[in-house]
Amino acid sequence: MPSPYRALFAAPGTKAFSTAGFLGRMPLSMMGIGVVTMISQLTGRYGLAGALSATIALSSAVAGPQVSRLVDQYGQRRVLRPAMLITLTAAAGLLLAAHFRWPDWVLFVCSAAVGCTPSLGAMTRARWAAIYRGTPQLHTAYSFESVVDEVCFIFGPIISIGLSTAWFPEAGPLLAACFLVVGVFWLTSQRATEPAPHPREPGGRTPSALRSPGLQVLVFTFVATGTIFGAVDVVTVAYAEEQGQKGAASLVLALYAAGSCLAGVAFGLLRFAGPPARRWLLGVCAMAVSMIPLQLVGNLPFLAVALFVAGLAIAPTMITTMALVEEHVPRAQLTEGMTWVSTGLLVGVALGSGVSGWVIDAAGADAGYGVPAVAGAVAVAAGFLGYRRLRRPAAQREETHERHGERDDDHERHPMA
């Protein structure tokens, strides 16, 4: 591992919480596709499978920020374990309902409750921020976390689909639930690196982190960005099927994630002096431009190369986004702010999957690649329109610092306490 990444783990406890966070976020890439595989194998109803997967994604978009908001107020240990138990109970109900062919409404209720799954990526990033806030190492830490995300999305679907098809239909979602249990319990047992909670003052009311103008720009832009991701996944599978090589779709999409992974590693080795808002806008533009070659695909090898190149813009943009969240959101609401960005992505993925599926049915897979191109244009427009907000410091951040100044200063002096 290059020395800047190796230096990250000099702080005590960092190896343990980053490993726990990796295991705990595997369900993010395994659960949805695992449910699709399970339901399609047990019932043959792809429409029901897709609807359940969309229900999980949308419920995560609703519940995720609320769970993270409670984490900011009460701490990771007190909130994550109950949230994990709700998810585990819902997942068990979903598997039983699918296996014993219970009514469809039971499947939807359980899928909605699975959305309480806590965002372990936000939890680990909050721990890095508590240790390295205000230092160049935080940029490297966010880069490392982005690489971990990509590794999860490269291997998670492969593991989930492989187990459900080779072993038994429920195996993929079952393993995802096991990863969540191990990750949450291991992470929350590490109290030394847990960020200090910021409880509400008596009689006070903490506004949502989404009231930050800068965060609003990031979330809206990432709805469009998520639409790119959701559309690319669905259209690539359909395009590979039209080419008579549906099995190659997983390899092509893995190259998409691999490009992002490699770019994230390289980006973390660099140091930047300019404002992060400018780098973020360049990243959004690069993601949009990378969708143009997809309109010209003629075969799967060309598509694989085009997606690999397109992936190079993803991780740097995500890394810079997390730096902007840390800059624009009050410290007491950092976990919630990071989760709102993930929520925007989830909403966009669900939107992109649905719209691209409709376009494919109406005009074929080639036309489907127009959906991520349009979504990229919307992301660029949103980025330019909101650029001034991202360059303007958030007034509410300063207010929160004054209110919690003594507690935060003490935590910075003793970050591992």
Side-chain angles (χ1 to χ4, degrees), residues 2 10 12 34 41 47 131 230 235 238-239 271 285 315 334 351 359 385 392:
Q41 283 190 278
I131 297 172
V235 179
Y239 183 82
R271 293 291 178 265
C285 291
L334 181 60
L351 181 63
V359 172
L385 291 174
R392 191 181 307 139

Side-chain angles (χ1 to χ4, degrees), residues 27-394:
L28 182 64
S29 63
M30 293 177 64
M31 186 61 76
I33 193 66
V35 168
V36 169
T37 307
M38 175 184 70
I39 296 297
S40 61
Q41 283 190 278
L42 290 174
T43 68
R45 299 168 61 188
Y46 282 90
L48 175 62
L52 293 175
S53 179
T55 299
I56 293 174
L58 293 177
S59 64
S60 297
V62 173
Q66 310 311 317
V67 172
S68 294
R69 188 176 188 183
L70 292 174
V71 166
D72 285 327
Q73 292 180 15
Y74 300 107
Q76 293 185 2
R77 183 185 180 92
R78 291 182 60 186
V79 177
L80 294 187
R81 291 189 174 185
M84 180 270 297
L85 290 175
I86 294 174
T87 301
L88 187 62
T89 302
L94 180 60
L95 298 185
L96 291 172
H99 182 80
F100 292 106
R101 309 294 176 90
W102 292 349
D104 289 352
W105 67 266
V106 179
L107 296 172
F108 281 100
V109 169
C110 292
S111 296
V114 169
C116 288
T117 303
S119 175
L120 269 290
M123 306 305 157
T124 55
R125 285 180 172 93
R127 292 189 181 224
W128 286 118
I131 297 172
Y132 290 123
R133 180 177 285 109
T135 69
Q137 285 87 348
L138 186 58
H139 167 76
T140 307
Y142 285 160
S143 300
F144 173 77
E145 289 297 318
S146 181
V147 171
V148 172
D149 285 339
E150 296 302 335
V151 170
C152 289
F153 277 96
I154 290 173
F155 293 104
I158 296 174
I159 295 172
S160 186
I161 295 172
L163 286 177
S164 291
T165 54
W167 199 4
F168 56 92
E170 298 88 350
L174 180 61
L175 181 61
C178 292
F179 275 134
L180 180 65
V181 172
V182 174
V184 168
F185 271 105
W186 191 6
L187 182 70
T188 54
S189 67
Q190 302 171 44
R191 304 300 298 277
T193 54
E194 181 178 350
H198 298 81
R200 289 186 299 181
E201 296 181 355
R205 185 174 182 273
T206 304
S208 170
L210 197 56
R211 293 187 63 179
S212 164
L215 183 61
Q216 292 172 5
V217 174
L218 295 174
V219 172
F220 184 81
T221 304
F222 267 66
V223 171
T225 303
T227 304
I228 294 176
F229 299 155
V232 166
D233 286 352
V234 172
V235 179
T236 299
V237 173
Y239 183 82
E241 186 174 14
E242 285 187 358
Q243 298 291 312
Q245 303 179 58
K246 187 176 182 180
S250 60
L251 178 60
V252 173
L253 291 174
L255 287 173
Y256 187 36
S260 177
C261 185
L262 291 176
V265 172
F267 195 73
L269 299 176
L270 304 176
R271 293 291 178 265
F272 301 94
R278 184 182 305 164
R279 295 195 299 275
W280 175 83
L281 186 58
L282 288 174
V284 172
C285 291
M287 291 179 66
V289 171
S290 69
M291 294 297 104
I292 296 176
L294 301 184
Q295 317 307 310
L296 308 174
V297 293
N299 52 60
L300 280 176
F302 179 84
L303 176 62
V305 173
L307 284 179
F308 177 81
V309 174
L312 297 175
I314 296 175
T317 308
M318 290 294 300
I319 294 162
T320 309
T321 299
M322 293 305 171
L324 285 171
V325 172
E326 203 270 338
E327 184 178 278
H328 282 266
V329 172
R331 188 176 303 179
Q333 297 174 297
L334 181 60
T335 310
E336 180 191 351
M338 290 179 174
T339 306
W340 272 116
V341 173
S342 300
T343 293
L345 280 174
L346 287 172
V347 172
V349 167
L351 181 63
S353 299
V355 173
S356 61
W358 178 81
V359 172
I360 292 167
D361 289 340
D366 286 335
Y369 280 117
V371 176
V374 173
V378 173
V380 170
F384 273 103
L385 291 174
Y387 181 65
R388 293 182 62 184
R389 289 187 177 187
L390 292 177
R391 298 191 63 183
R392 191 181 307 139

